[in-house]
Amino acid sequence: MDKDFVLKVGKNIKKYRIKKGLSQFKLAIEIDCTTSAISGIEIGRSDTTLTKINAIAKALDIEPYQLLQFEE
């Protein structure tokens, strides 16, 4: 697992989730997973699948590629 990449993706998920005004709980409900799974992804403790990235992006009303674009 590329820890740096996983951390960056998690940071983006958190950024967009907060921007949309969703709690981890509400996001978890929207994508049918647990709050601890969202937390683990956001802090880089757990990797995720492309399917989950797609579901998260849809719930956040963004395109999946936006979760993979990192600020320098």
Side-chain angles (χ1 to χ4, degrees):
M1 170 170 62
D2 183 344
K3 188 70 169 170
D4 187 50
F5 178 76
V6 173
L7 283 168
K8 287 177 181 178
V9 172
K11 193 175 197 180
N12 275 349
I13 291 170
K14 184 176 182 177
K15 175 181 77 173
Y16 285 110
R17 176 182 60 76
I18 290 170
K19 186 175 182 179
K20 181 157 170 123
L22 288 179
S23 65
Q24 288 181 342
F25 179 74
K26 287 185 180 184
L27 178 58
I29 288 172
E30 286 201 35
I31 67 166
D32 193 31
C33 76
T34 65
T35 304
S36 62
I38 297 296
S39 175
I41 293 166
E42 286 187 354
I43 64 172
R45 185 180 63 231
S46 59
D47 207 338
T48 191
T49 64
L50 291 174
T51 301
K52 185 84 64 189
I53 290 286
N54 190 49
I56 290 169
K58 284 182 180 182
L60 298 175
D61 296 321
I62 60 173
E63 295 296 322
Y65 76 86
Q66 291 176 270
L67 296 175
L68 306 175
Q69 287 184 318
F70 312 122
E71 296 175 10
E72 296 300 320

